Amino acid sequence: MMSQKKRKKEKPFTPVFTYGLIVVLILVFLGVLMPNKFYETASGISGFIAENLGWYYMFVTTGLGFFAVFIIFSPIGKLKLGQPHEKPEFSTISWFAMLFSAGMGIGLVFWGAAEPMNHMMNPPTGEGGGHQQVQAVRSTIFHWGLHAWCVYGIVALALAYTAYRKGESGLISKTLRPIFGDKVDGTLGQIVDTMAVFATVIGVAVSLGMGALQINGGLNYLLGVPETVIIQGIIILVVTILFLISAWSGLSKGIQILSNSNMVLAVLLFFIILFVGPTIASLDMFATATGSYLQQFLYLTLDTGYNDSQKAAWIQEWTIYYWGWWFSWCPFVGIFIARVSRGRTIREFILAVILVPATICMVWFSVFGTTGMTTGLKHPHIFNLPVEKQLFAIFDVMPIGTLLSIIALVLVSVFFITSADSATFVLGMQTTDGSLTPRTRIKIVWGIALSLISYTLIIAGGENALSAIQAAAIIAALPFSVIVILMTISFFKDANNERKYLGLTLQPDEENMKQYLSSTPEEHSQDIQDYIDETSDQRGI
């Protein structure tokens, strides 16, 4: 029996791997052979989704946010992601740092100054003067703040609870066992995991595509390197070779050092911009924009621009795109967050995962956005540049601008490498039945697939490459958003049943509390094991 299990684990190609790769190759094939038609079709589909299902995205993201708040105050928050006696795998400071690294990425560098500048010049409403600048930063932190991390946090919570509390593998499909029972081990599970793979590929490819555009934009602005799809293809090829070397050699320690170095660069760039740029204005903006964001939170959360064509178009172009991007990224980020959070209570997990990265994003966009808008008002030509060049144009008129541009280019490049390297592992795990050590060749296949998809999006979009990338994110998110809803329901069903079994309440009676507190870790673990055994038939195990 052991040998049979071993052979099963070592099966080279699972159905999820095969189906997921076929879907990716079909998209690449269509995008290369019929780029114009591919772009028109993708734009048409994403436009239809944004125009007709924007309300759905609004309600789902809002619902996840309220669910997260409910869990914080619920007795379920007392449960631990692991056995009761387990201690956190990482120190709190290291854990916060890793959550910060999950929140950092190409997108923050790409949009750090460009998005507030764009909102200032093309606002959703007609506010003017200083109000327009505050509104620009407020809109940006709305897109990158609490909503994004509620989506990530709930997906990560379901994965961590299922893996560390119930002993399941790290597959998305296994989180749905409380609803579908042993069906998640068959065709249904394969469909769910294939959808997760598709969402992950598109989500990561969106970031890689933006990274290639910004690297090319920076090289063009600084060195006059042409901005063409050929140059962008060469950039993707070089970076692909670098992260495939990492995947092939298994240099996990090296990539960890690279990731930590990237964190240092990001912090360095942030503080240089804070102190070299308009320091007081940036801090004032952080306070004012955050206050405005919190004050209008509920209104912004469900505003679809009803009966206001200008605002509705703006929401479809920006807000719905971001909600789609977060959904397509959440399998990747969720698995990463779950991996580093073992031993934390659910309440501690939700508070940290949502508040820490969201706060960092608010500070980042306040500083970069204020610097960008202030500089743009002094040098108006910057507003007319493509978004991938604007950051470098801002640095060009600042002290030590060349150094800042070099740091930004290195930062984007290393984010590119580390994101792709991590994504190959996550995709390898999802397509090898949850293996924590996926075969190297599987990771390499997914690394090549990620690069092909990101380049396909650039080719298909041509001059509208960024629009093609945004369209892909919106389309990929729709089917996976349904899975996220099911994951949320499934987690609550299972966790609430366990909460009842263990007698956890907001105000437990004194006798139960004494018994719970006086029991040993082994007795705690036995209670959980008894619960799992007692409900095994319901769970389909």
Side-chain angles (χ1 to χ4, degrees):
M1 184 175 288
M2 288 294 292
S3 62
Q4 290 177 350
K5 286 183 178 179
K6 187 175 181 181
R7 280 196 298 271
K8 184 177 179 181
K9 282 185 179 179
E10 293 181 350
K11 186 169 64 172
F13 302 115
T14 64
V16 175
F17 173 86
T18 303
Y19 301 149
L21 189 60
I22 288 173
V23 172
V24 170
L25 291 178
I26 289 174
L27 290 176
V28 170
F29 180 78
L30 293 175
V32 171
L33 290 186
M34 299 179 292
N36 293 333
K37 188 67 176 177
F38 184 89
Y39 172 68
E40 290 173 5
T41 303
S43 297
I45 295 173
S46 66
F48 175 84
I49 292 172
E51 186 175 348
N52 295 282
L53 295 175
W55 60 269
Y56 164 77
Y57 277 22
M58 292 290 193
F59 275 117
V60 173
T61 52
T62 303
L64 292 175
F66 282 118
F67 180 74
V69 173
F70 166 75
I71 291 297
I72 290 171
F73 294 100
S74 165
I76 292 173
K78 299 177 183 179
L79 298 174
K80 185 175 283 189
L81 298 173
Q83 301 305 308
H85 62 278
E86 283 189 86
K87 300 296 183 183
E89 188 175 356
F90 302 97
S91 69
T92 301
I93 294 178
S94 296
W95 185 47
F96 282 166
M98 284 184 279
L99 294 180
F100 173 72
S101 69
M104 290 295 296
I106 293 171
L108 288 188
V109 182
F110 190 94
W111 290 114
E115 184 174 345
M117 291 172 67
N118 191 291
H119 295 337
M120 176 184 165
M121 299 302 292
N122 303 286
T125 59
E127 292 185 30
H131 290 294
Q132 190 166 310
Q133 294 181 43
V134 171
Q135 184 190 60
V137 176
R138 182 190 69 201
S139 297
T140 306
I141 63 178
F142 169 60
H143 292 148
W144 290 81
L146 297 173
H147 286 77
W149 291 97
C150 284
V151 174
Y152 290 159
I154 295 302
V155 171
L157 175 61
L159 285 163
Y161 177 83
T162 303
Y164 303 141
R165 194 80 178 179
K166 303 303 179 185
E168 295 272 15
S169 65
L171 295 175
I172 296 288
S173 60
K174 304 306 180 188
T175 64
L176 304 182
R177 191 181 294 280
I179 297 178
F180 298 109
D182 59 2
K183 291 181 181 179
V184 299
D185 299 319
T187 303
L188 177 63
Q190 293 172 3
I191 294 172
V192 169
D193 291 328
T194 301
M195 292 171 67
V197 166
F198 176 70
T200 302
V201 168
I202 298 299
V204 175
V206 166
S207 286
L208 301 187
M210 287 197 306
L213 291 176
Q214 188 160 45
I215 292 171
N216 193 186
L219 293 175
N220 173 266
Y221 196 86
L222 295 172
L223 304 174
V225 175
E227 281 192 288
T228 65
V229 292
I230 295 176
I231 296 297
Q232 289 152 9
I234 293 172
I235 292 170
I236 291 175
L237 177 62
V238 171
V239 176
T240 300
I241 292 172
L242 292 175
F243 76 72
L244 287 183
I245 289 173
S246 171
W248 180 267
S249 61
L251 296 176
S252 57
K253 197 164 187 179
I255 206 69
Q256 183 178 2
I257 293 172
L258 202 59
S259 298
N260 291 338
S261 301
N262 215 32
M263 294 292 299
V264 172
L265 282 176
V267 173
L268 176 64
L269 182 64
F270 171 81
F271 279 107
I272 291 177
I273 296 300
L274 176 61
F275 292 117
V276 173
T279 306
I280 301 302
S282 294
L283 296 176
D284 284 343
M285 176 62 79
F286 171 61
T288 305
T290 301
S292 178
Y293 168 58
L294 295 176
Q295 181 188 37
Q296 300 194 42
F297 182 80
L298 287 178
Y299 174 70
L300 292 171
T301 292
L302 292 173
D303 183 17
T304 61
Y306 174 74
N307 211 25
D308 184 336
S309 58
Q310 177 185 343
K311 180 186 281 190
W314 185 92
I315 290 171
Q316 291 165 22
E317 181 181 355
W318 287 98
T319 306
I320 303 305
Y321 155 63
Y322 275 117
W323 287 183
W325 194 12
W326 305 146
F327 276 111
S328 60
W329 253 73
C330 66
F332 171 46
V333 179
I335 288 172
F336 171 81
I337 294 175
R339 169 65 186 83
V340 301
S341 300
R342 185 167 193 157
R344 303 284 171 179
T345 66
I346 289 176
R347 180 172 294 119
E348 179 185 18
F349 173 89
I350 289 291
L351 284 170
V353 168
I354 292 177
L355 295 182
V356 172
T359 301
I360 291 169
C361 289
M362 293 175 190
V363 176
W364 180 279
F365 283 107
S366 295
V367 171
F368 276 76
T370 303
T371 302
M373 290 184 292
T374 302
T375 305
L377 289 173
K378 295 177 181 176
H379 306 274
H381 73 279
I382 296 177
F383 286 110
N384 298 322
L385 292 173
V387 291
E388 60 268 21
K389 289 185 181 181
Q390 287 179 339
L391 184 64
F392 300 102
I394 292 166
F395 291 162
D396 192 43
V397 296
M398 293 179 68
I400 61 172
T402 302
L403 176 62
L404 292 174
S405 294
I406 292 172
I407 293 175
L409 273 176
V410 173
L411 195 59
V412 173
S413 300
V414 181
F415 270 138
F416 198 139
I417 295 170
T418 53
S419 294
D421 184 79
S422 301
T424 58
F425 168 78
V426 170
L427 288 166
M429 187 191 77
Q430 290 182 69
T431 54
T432 54
D433 292 327
S435 171
L436 294 177
T437 55
R439 288 172 176 248
T440 301
R441 59 181 174 178
I442 297 293
K443 292 192 291 183
I444 288 176
V445 167
W446 284 120
I448 295 172
L450 283 171
S451 297
L452 287 175
I453 279 290
S454 61
Y455 191 49
T456 298
L457 293 174
I458 290 174
I459 292 174
E463 294 181 355
N464 300 307
L466 188 58
S467 297
I469 288 170
Q470 293 174 325
I474 293 172
I475 295 170
L478 183 60
F480 195 75
S481 67
V482 178
I483 295 176
V484 174
I485 294 172
L486 293 174
M487 289 175 72
T488 306
I489 296 170
S490 183
F491 162 76
F492 178 73
K493 178 182 178 182
D494 210 6
N496 194 47
N497 284 339
E498 184 178 355
R499 190 270 307 171
K500 292 178 182 177
Y501 185 86
L502 297 176
L504 299 178
T505 60
L506 284 175
Q507 292 182 322
D509 64 67
E510 189 174 344
E511 190 62 32
N512 280 344
M513 179 58 77
K514 286 181 179 177
Q515 183 178 353
Y516 186 78
L517 293 176
S518 62
S519 58
T520 65
E522 290 75 17
E523 290 171 328
H524 279 268
S525 299
Q526 188 58 49
D527 284 341
I528 294 173
Q529 188 58 52
D530 290 343
Y531 167 74
I532 293 174
D533 292 341
E534 187 173 304
T535 58
S536 60
D537 291 338
Q538 300 171 14
R539 292 171 56 81
I541 301 175

